Amino acid sequence: MPRDYNKIDKVISETGFFSEYLPPCFMLDRQFLTRPPDDKCDLIAPVCFTMSRYSGNDARRSIFIPEIGSYVVTSQFIQREHIVKELIEFSETSDASFSPILGKDDRIVRHEQSYDKITTEFDEIPSDYIENVAKKIIRSAGATSMLKLDISNCYSSFYVHMIPAILLGMENTEIEYKKYLFDNNDDSINPTYLKYMKLDSIIRQQNLNRTNGLLTGTLYSKIVIESILTCIDKELQQQEIKHTRYVDDYEVYLYGSEEKQTISIFENTLKRYGFVLNSEKTELLEFPYYITENLEKIFHDHSEASIGTAETMELFNSFLSMEKAGIKGAIRYLLKSIEKNPIDTNNPELFKSYLLTILGNNERSLIKACTLLIYNKDTLMLNQSDIKFITELLVSHIHYQHDLEVIWLLYLLMQTDNVNRGDAVALSVADSHNELAQLLLLRNDLLSETLLSEVSLYAKSWILLYELYASDHIDESDFVYRLGINKNLDMYRYFKRKNLHFVVI
């Protein structure tokens, strides 16, 4: 049965704007997509927030939300030119990739894969994890060792002018580029080159017209990256490199002592596309290199329909021990499994205690711990001691400028009715630089008049300034001046008339 790319395009445009890491209250109403500005829209800086890299250290990753006008222009062009279909079908020609755009039943794959490369297979449908490891073992048959290689800053270093080379190849793109330079009205210029050159131009508008860097966070960026990495897969295979890839995280199979030669081939191939190898993450693993646990079976073996205190402890201890033994992501896998298949424990206080402890000790699992506390708020009721702990944890993340953690902890307190208008939590958030967290307070009427005045005075991001404008806390002239709006103003006026917001309450 052929794919319905009209439906796929629609789903990607409506759900691919906000990072999947943000709370579900951040949502793009489809009406936002109906009023595009001119193709050459205003250049307005995207919103940036930080999150853990999930790598077991203090490294942070920047995630972006493009200005809505530039996003709508991009979305409409991509749909009009059928680019999603072309790029997805091209990326699926790589048999080395384990990071597909579409999964079973042509659903968009959403398992936090674009930014988290540490055992992210755990975030897939559980049965896929074992299936994928089996495929890798088969692919690596006979190998004596494995090289783990990683592209340095893949998204932020991507040279956007490379986009036409995805379908045309480097050499043909160079030929078309020279034709275009000599005479941009030349009828012999390949239409594919012109279309993807236009895509290059439109995508750059989301990032202030910079030629280097795709905005990590949108589905469109993920599709482009997967496509360019497919080009690299093909070149590596032409040079008889056998490998698998998960986004830009490579596992290369060696059959002798060709380690240095393989690294050299990788470096030269990446250089052609403007990438460099992250030598700090290069690792050589000797056989056996695929030793895994059947986490799905372990979960089901320890989670009966109803479990007591001892069984609850045994369930959590199994996954805590695996995490401690080096199976990074085991705790998060447990929480995602509980979310999909809730456990019925006769000791909810013990269950809650495990979640709170994970909240404070395992950043890669913080989102899922918050989610479970929210879903089970009627049975896992937070007491004053719990609220104090979460509040203090939130304040410490503000201090360290851990944006996403602050947003989720605030969302947890709000969803459990533990934030009041203008209280200490609201004051801490208002005094921070976390404008997405401030937006949560604004939309839920949790800012006192004093705090609202402070937030309005210092707001910088397009999204918070729009919400202040839409709710009449700043006037239009102030909104226009502070964002430098010209071509996008009619669009924003339309959004305000329609009472459209980026946070659903």
Side-chain angles (χ1 to χ4, degrees):
M1 183 176 177
R3 285 173 171 163
D4 184 352
Y5 272 102
N6 287 329
K7 180 180 178 181
I8 292 169
D9 268 328
K10 185 170 176 290
V11 172
I12 288 175
S13 65
E14 291 179 8
T15 65
F17 177 66
F18 284 117
S19 164
E20 61 198 273
Y21 288 102
L22 287 168
C25 60
F26 287 89
M27 189 179 299
L28 189 69
D29 189 301
R30 65 184 58 182
Q31 291 186 79
F32 279 114
L33 300 167
T34 63
R35 193 65 172 253
D38 185 79
D39 273 4
K40 291 191 176 298
C41 57
D42 291 325
L43 299 180
I44 296 173
V47 179
C48 176
F49 64 90
T50 67
M51 62 173 289
S52 169
R53 280 185 181 268
Y54 293 168
S55 57
N57 55 33
D58 294 330
R60 306 291 293 176
R61 183 178 293 276
S62 293
I63 308 294
F64 296 90
I65 305 170
E67 188 267 337
I68 183 62
S70 64
Y71 179 80
V72 177
V73 167
T74 302
S75 174
Q76 296 227 339
F77 178 78
I78 283 175
Q79 290 185 64
R80 187 167 64 246
E81 298 294 334
H82 310 292
I83 286 171
V84 162
K85 179 180 186 296
E86 290 180 349
L87 293 187
I88 287 180
E89 291 183 350
F90 173 73
S91 68
E92 289 176 338
T93 62
S94 171
D95 61 358
S97 175
F98 281 73
S99 47
I101 305 301
L102 299 179
K104 295 175 181 177
D105 301 322
D106 294 336
R107 288 175 294 180
I108 310 300
V109 176
R110 299 179 188 281
H111 50 281
E112 304 168 357
Q113 66 178 15
S114 299
Y115 331 111
D116 170 15
K117 296 178 296 185
I118 305 298
T119 59
T120 41
E121 293 94 336
F122 293 165
D123 293 318
E124 264 281 21
I125 299 170
S127 59
D128 285 355
Y129 170 60
I130 294 298
E131 181 183 326
N132 286 345
V133 174
K135 288 178 181 177
K136 291 181 179 182
I137 292 172
I138 293 168
R139 190 176 182 86
S140 65
T144 56
S145 56
M146 180 177 73
L147 260 178
K148 294 179 74 69
L149 301 173
D150 177 86
I151 295 176
S152 181
N153 301 314
C154 183
Y155 276 78
S156 60
S157 64
F158 176 66
Y159 186 51
V160 187
H161 289 334
M162 284 285 181
I163 286 177
I166 293 173
L167 296 184
L168 292 177
M170 297 287 288
E171 289 75 16
N172 288 335
T173 297
E174 184 68 20
I175 291 170
E176 300 301 326
Y177 172 66
K178 289 178 179 177
K179 283 187 197 175
Y180 184 84
L181 271 186
F182 184 74
D183 179 8
N184 59 17
N185 292 313
D186 184 346
D187 290 339
S188 71
I189 298 174
N190 190 318
T192 298
Y193 174 79
L194 295 174
K195 177 165 72 171
Y196 280 85
M197 186 184 72
K198 176 72 170 176
L199 178 63
D200 157 15
S201 173
I202 283 178
I203 281 182
R204 279 188 282 112
Q205 291 180 150
Q206 297 183 46
N207 196 20
L208 301 178
N209 242 359
R210 292 171 179 150
T211 55
N212 279 86
L214 282 176
L215 296 186
T216 313
T218 73
L219 276 176
Y220 289 133
S221 293
K222 174 180 167 182
I223 291 170
V224 171
I225 283 292
E226 185 64 27
S227 301
I228 199 72
L229 294 179
T230 295
C231 296
I232 294 173
D233 288 340
K234 292 177 181 295
E235 289 207 19
L236 292 171
Q237 288 169 346
Q238 287 170 4
Q239 299 175 84
E240 298 185 343
I241 299 291
K242 186 177 283 190
H243 72 286
T244 57
R245 173 178 59 78
Y246 192 79
V247 194
D248 61 331
D249 189 22
Y250 293 82
E251 294 177 348
V252 186
Y253 308 115
L254 305 180
Y255 298 83
S257 56
E258 69 270 28
E259 176 188 349
K260 291 183 179 179
Q261 178 186 356
T262 300
I263 292 176
S264 176
I265 291 172
F266 250 86
E267 288 176 331
N268 290 333
T269 303
L270 293 180
K271 191 183 299 182
R272 277 170 46 81
Y273 290 87
F275 293 123
V276 296
L277 203 60
N278 187 343
S279 57
E280 292 182 0
K281 290 189 178 181
T282 297
E283 183 181 4
L284 180 66
L285 300 180
E286 300 296 338
F287 176 83
Y289 32 79
Y290 284 129
I291 301 174
T292 186
E293 297 277 3
N294 188 338
L295 301 185
E296 181 186 16
K297 183 176 185 300
I298 293 171
F299 174 74
H300 286 296
D301 286 349
H302 291 81
S303 59
E304 302 295 333
S306 180
I307 59 177
T309 297
E311 291 81 9
T312 303
M313 293 175 66
E314 188 176 356
L315 173 64
F316 276 89
N317 285 342
S318 297
F319 285 86
L320 292 171
S321 297
M322 284 189 284
E323 186 86 31
K324 190 171 184 177
I327 302 180
K328 298 184 180 78
I331 295 173
R332 189 155 51 112
Y333 177 90
L334 169 63
L335 299 190
K336 290 175 78 73
S337 297
I338 293 173
E339 181 183 3
K340 294 174 184 175
N341 302 286
I343 60 172
D344 179 15
T345 175
N346 64 10
N347 195 335
E349 281 297 310
L350 179 63
F351 182 24
K352 182 182 70 173
S353 295
Y354 274 119
L355 294 179
L356 290 172
T357 303
I358 290 170
L359 205 64
N361 289 279
N362 191 274
E363 286 185 4
R364 66 171 59 88
S365 304
L366 183 142
I367 292 175
K368 287 303 167 191
C370 286
T371 299
L372 288 174
L373 287 167
I374 291 168
Y375 285 174
N376 298 280
K377 62 183 179 182
D378 293 332
T379 55
L380 307 180
M381 289 189 293
L382 301 177
N383 58 38
Q384 288 304 308
S385 176
D386 301 332
I387 297 165
K388 182 174 182 292
F389 165 73
I390 294 169
T391 301
E392 290 176 349
L393 187 62
L394 185 153
V395 171
S396 70
H397 281 299
I398 288 176
H399 177 72
Y400 292 115
Q401 297 184 26
H402 292 176
D403 298 332
L404 187 65
E405 291 84 348
V406 171
I407 292 165
W408 267 98
L409 291 170
L410 177 61
Y411 183 65
L412 168 60
L413 291 173
M414 290 168 56
Q415 290 294 301
T416 55
D417 298 321
N418 287 303
V419 182
N420 296 310
R421 195 169 191 264
D423 67 9
V425 170
L427 176 60
S428 296
V429 172
D431 284 343
S432 74
H433 298 290
N434 192 327
E435 296 200 356
L436 293 176
Q438 292 169 359
L439 178 54
L440 287 180
L441 294 176
L442 173 67
R443 290 287 295 135
N444 287 272
D445 195 26
L446 290 170
L447 290 169
S448 65
E449 290 301 320
T450 300
L451 294 182
L452 182 55
S453 297
E454 180 181 338
V455 168
S456 300
L457 180 63
Y458 294 106
K460 294 180 180 178
S461 67
W462 70 263
I463 193 168
L464 181 56
L465 284 169
Y466 165 72
E467 292 289 0
L468 289 166
Y469 163 62
S471 53
D472 293 320
H473 295 302
I474 61 174
D475 61 27
E476 185 174 287
S477 61
D478 195 14
F479 175 60
V480 169
Y481 173 75
R482 289 163 73 174
L483 272 189
I485 293 175
N486 180 12
K487 299 170 185 174
N488 295 12
L489 181 55
D490 285 343
M491 176 193 71
Y492 281 112
R493 285 171 172 165
Y494 171 79
F495 295 162
K496 181 175 180 178
R497 286 197 305 273
K498 290 291 186 177
N499 195 30
L500 298 179
H501 299 278
F502 292 95
V503 171
V504 177
I505 58 174

